[in-house]
Every structure is written in structure tokens, then in C-alpha cells.
């Protein structure tokens, strides 16, 4: 099983501003209308596993942005909203067990999304690859990508791509 993080962060390590907004991702220079490798990444993913807050954000978009099955971790949500029924499954419980269950169901490559959710996975050493795109802005506060860990986790730098002298996308793989 391989668990991936694929996320955009500000220079100071935030994935959403203080109001939970993503406006700072909309000002990216993109003369070629590139997706910066997102579709290629998604082709290699079996399912997306995200936190409840990221899910609630995705529900506000004009259209549901995922073609792959989506699993949402939440202790509060008890019912999938009707507009995404059949596309979304709710999960709750021990993360290691959840990851093992997903593997047993044939989901070998998971895209893990949402700050607290990524942090929970990292605390359990369940992240294998991190693809992190840094946007050159200081947000000064907001939702953190990373949090405290019980122990250091080492990664190998695999590759870095620079887009339009603006975005810096780096791929890191876990060394175990
Ligand atoms: N920049 C980017 O590329 C990017 C990407 C994704 C998201 N975002 C932004 O990041 C923000 C969301 O991140 P976030 O850190 O606030 O929250 P999040 O990780 O999306 O969601 C956190 C929630 O997920 C549930 N959860 C997490 N771990 C769990 C576990 N082990 N078991 C059960 N439930 C668990 C809990 O929901 P309950 O409270 O229901 O238990 C928790 O409150 C949003 O503003 C979103 O737009 C940005």
C-alpha cells in the first residue's frame, strides 16, 4: 500500500488562510492552462481519503471534483449528503485499521487530504510519498499542513519541478 500527500502550501506552511479560504491558490500565473501534473497524479490513485473539513470545502465547489471513490474520516458526520451519495463513504475509527481495511478492499494507492488528517497519518507513520507544491506567499496564519510528531520521520528528496518561476513542486519519499 502507498499513501500519498498531494497538496499546495504557502511559504510559511499553511494550506488555508485564517478564514479557511483558498483564494491565494487562484492567483497562480498559468498562461498554458496547466494542471501542474494533477491529472497524471490522479491516474495512479485508487481512492481519496480526506478529513471532514476538506470534504465540506469540496462540497462548496461548483462541481464535485473527484472521479475516484472518496472516503471521508469523521466522528461527527453520520450520513453522506444526498448530492454525493454513491461517490462518498464515511469512515471512523483507528487509522491503522482503516488503512488496512482499505488495502483489503483493493485500494492500494490512497490520496490523503486535509491538514489534520495528513497529520494523523504522519503520526502513525502511514505516509509514503509527499508531493508538496509551495506557493510564494506568506499567509501569516491559517490551517497548518504539518504538526507535532512523536519522532522525526525521514524522507528522500526525489524530484523538484518549478512552474512559471512561481510554483515549486517537490516529491519526497519516506525512508524506512
Ligand atoms: N492547499 C491545499 O492544497 C488544500 C488541500 C486540502 C485541504 N485544504 C484546506 O485545509 C482545510 C482543511 O484541513 P483541516 O486540517 O482543517 O481538516 P481536515 O483534515 O480536512 O479535517 C479534519 C477533520 O477530519 C476528521 N478526522 C481527522 N482525522 C480523523 C481520524 N483519525 N478519525 C476520525 N476523524 C478524523 C475530524 O472530523 P470530525 O470533527 O467530524 O471528527 C477532523 O475534525 C480546509 O480549509 C481546506 O480547504 C487545502
Amino acid at each position: 500500500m502507498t499513501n500519498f500527500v498531494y497538496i499546495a502550501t504557502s511559504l510559511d506552511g499553511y494550506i488555508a488562510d485564517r478564514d479557511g479560504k483558498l483564494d491565494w491558490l487562484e492567483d497562480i500565473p498559468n498562461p498554458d492552462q496547466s494542471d501542474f501534473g494533477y491529472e497524471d497524479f490522479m491516474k495512479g490513485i485508487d481512492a481519496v481519503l480526506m478529513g471532514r473539513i476538506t470534504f465540506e470545502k469540496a462540497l462548496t465547489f461548483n462541481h464535485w471534483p473527484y472521479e475516484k471513490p472518496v472516503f471521508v474520516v469523521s466522528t461527527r458526520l453520520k450520513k453522506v449528503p444526498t448530492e454525493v451519495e454513491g461517490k462518498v463513504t464515511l469512515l471512523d475509527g483507528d487509522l491503522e485499521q482503516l488503512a488496512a481495511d482499505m488495502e483489503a478492499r483493493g485500494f492500494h494507492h490512497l490520496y490523503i487530504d486535509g491538514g489534520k488528517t495528513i497529520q494523523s497519518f504522519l503520526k502513525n507513520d502511514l505516509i509514503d510519498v509527499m508531493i508538496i507544491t509551495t506557493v510564494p506567499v506568506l499567509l501569516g496564519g491559517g490551517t497548518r499542513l504539518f504538526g507535532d510528531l512523536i519522532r522525526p520521520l525521514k524522507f528522500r528528496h526525489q524530484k523538484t519541478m518549478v512552474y512559471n518561476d512561481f510554483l515549486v513542486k517537490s516529491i519526497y519519499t519516506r525512508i524506512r
Side-chain angles (χ1 to χ4, degrees), residues 60-120:
T60 69
F61 297 159
N62 287 335
H63 75 285
W64 182 242
Y66 304 101
E67 287 174 13
K68 300 287 169 89
V70 170
F71 293 82
V72 176
V73 280
S74 175
T75 55
R76 290 189 213 181
L77 283 181
K78 302 296 173 203
K79 194 176 176 308
V80 174
T82 44
E83 64 266 36
V84 288
E85 263 177 21
K87 297 175 181 169
V88 171
T89 306
L90 300 179
L91 299 175
D92 183 14
D94 174 67
L95 273 196
E96 274 189 56
Q97 190 56 51
L98 291 182
D101 290 348
M102 301 278 291
E103 169 86 338
R105 292 168 67 177
F107 299 109
H108 305 298
H109 299 97
L110 295 185
Y111 170 11
I112 311 299
D113 208 12
K116 288 192 191 72
T117 306
I118 291 168
Q119 290 167 26
S120 307

Side-chain angles (χ1 to χ4, degrees), residues 16-154:
D17 72 14
R18 281 199 182 88
D19 301 319
K21 289 193 176 156
L22 303 173
D23 306 14
W24 51 285
L25 289 176
E26 284 158 21
D27 302 332
I28 293 168
N30 191 5
D32 303 327
Q33 299 295 300
S34 169
D35 71 355
F36 307 114
Y38 179 75
E39 280 303 321
D40 279 347
F41 165 73
M42 285 306 282
K43 278 183 199 153
I45 290 299
D46 299 318
V48 185
L49 189 153
M50 65 177 64
R52 192 250 313 159
I53 297 173
T54 297
F55 172 60
E56 288 174 348
K57 183 75 176 179
L59 285 175
T60 69
F61 297 159
N62 287 335
H63 75 285
W64 182 242
Y66 304 101
E67 287 174 13
K68 300 287 169 89
V70 170
F71 293 82
V72 176
V73 280
S74 175
T75 55
R76 290 189 213 181
L77 283 181
K78 302 296 173 203
K79 194 176 176 308
V80 174
T82 44
E83 64 266 36
V84 288
E85 263 177 21
K87 297 175 181 169
V88 171
T89 306
L90 300 179
L91 299 175
D92 183 14
D94 174 67
L95 273 196
E96 274 189 56
Q97 190 56 51
L98 291 182
D101 290 348
M102 301 278 291
E103 169 86 338
R105 292 168 67 177
F107 299 109
H108 305 298
H109 299 97
L110 295 185
Y111 170 11
I112 311 299
D113 208 12
K116 288 192 191 72
T117 306
I118 291 168
Q119 290 167 26
S120 307
F121 269 74
L122 284 168
K123 274 191 181 144
N124 287 276
D125 196 6
L126 287 169
I127 296 295
D128 304 288
V129 180
M130 298 196 297
I131 303 167
I132 299 178
T133 301
T134 304
V135 180
V137 59
L138 294 168
L139 292 177
T143 306
R144 287 209 161 277
L145 171 54
F146 296 120
D148 290 347
L149 288 171
I150 297 141
R151 61 187 172 90
L153 299 178
K154 291 187 177 174

